[in-house]
Amino acid sequence: FIKKEEVNDLLKNIDLIESFNIKKIFPDRILVKIKEEIPIAILNRKKEKFFITEANHLIEFRKNIIRKNLPYVFGNEAEKEFIKFNELLKENDFPINLIKNFYFFKINRWDLHLLNEKVIKFPPNMLDQSIKKAIYILQDEEFKKYNIIDLRISGKMIMQ
């Protein structure tokens, strides 16, 4: 006797559900397929926390949602640019699992703080090339001693 619309209304109110499909199977069953939102980072915005999902949705942070080792994202309006930057990192095979924090700056550039305490500073443009340089530097033994990799100046790498 349950109506499809009642289940539909209930599921719409759960923010961890990206999409769902309800199918009535007569005489006495309902088939519900649910696609879950997958958190990929935690956004810190004005003392509030949100999950950023693969679908670029913001979901209120809850401690009872267990997602270990998610990186944090900081910066005004970082959520607007995060998905694009994260996709560029993935496309270039950057080891995303090594990222502890993302810092966004209003001049449209990013800093990455890695789990090994290294910092990579990216320029606002030519990100593709800079990401490839960063990957090379992280893999090269000669550069292991440096903690700051600054790629903001075109054609130069500054190490500290």
Side-chain angles (χ1 to χ4, degrees):
F1 296 105
I2 271 187
K3 293 181 181 171
K4 184 177 173 181
E5 294 75 28
E6 289 176 14
V7 177
N8 193 14
D9 291 342
L10 283 172
L11 293 176
K12 278 184 183 176
N13 294 325
I14 301 173
D15 56 4
L16 290 170
I17 296 176
E18 182 180 333
S19 63
F20 58 89
N21 187 3
I22 302 170
K23 190 175 190 179
K24 239 180 179 179
I25 302 173
F26 289 98
D28 59 355
R29 293 188 330 163
I30 294 177
L31 177 64
V32 180
K33 291 184 181 180
I34 296 174
K35 184 174 180 192
E36 177 185 8
E37 289 276 11
I38 308 291
I40 57 172
I42 300 169
L43 173 69
N44 273 9
R45 183 171 67 186
K46 296 179 184 175
K47 298 183 182 180
E48 291 182 291
K49 289 182 182 179
F50 299 90
F51 286 114
I52 301 176
T53 69
E54 284 180 345
N56 201 23
H57 296 135
L58 293 183
I59 296 175
E60 184 180 329
F61 180 83
R62 292 192 218 60
K63 289 182 181 178
N64 62 346
I65 299 173
I66 300 170
R67 297 287 179 194
K68 293 186 179 184
N69 301 325
L70 286 179
Y72 281 82
V73 178
F74 299 92
N76 288 336
E77 301 181 14
E79 66 274 14
K80 293 178 182 176
E81 299 296 324
F82 172 74
I83 292 295
K84 285 189 272 183
F85 182 60
N86 196 49
E87 284 303 314
L88 266 177
L89 292 171
K90 284 181 188 177
E91 287 170 13
N92 286 288
D93 294 323
F94 189 92
I96 291 175
N97 60 324
L98 299 180
I99 301 171
K100 180 179 179 181
N101 297 320
F102 291 82
Y103 290 88
F104 179 72
F105 298 90
K106 279 194 171 187
I107 58 171
N108 203 28
R109 66 167 217 82
W110 290 92
D111 283 359
L112 295 181
H113 290 221
L114 306 180
L115 293 171
N116 64 3
E117 303 304 319
K118 294 192 182 300
V119 176
I120 304 172
K121 298 178 179 223
F122 288 98
N125 48 20
M126 298 189 330
L127 274 175
D128 225 25
Q129 293 170 327
S130 298
I131 291 169
K132 288 174 184 165
K133 280 183 195 174
I135 293 168
Y136 172 79
I137 291 168
L138 290 174
Q139 294 172 344
D140 193 325
E141 285 296 320
E142 187 176 322
F143 295 107
K144 296 259 188 225
K145 61 186 172 188
Y146 299 108
N147 289 325
I148 298 175
I149 302 163
D150 190 341
L151 304 171
R152 294 178 291 174
I153 300 172
S154 181
K156 297 189 183 213
M157 295 183 291
I158 301 170
M159 309 290 180
Q160 290 182 335

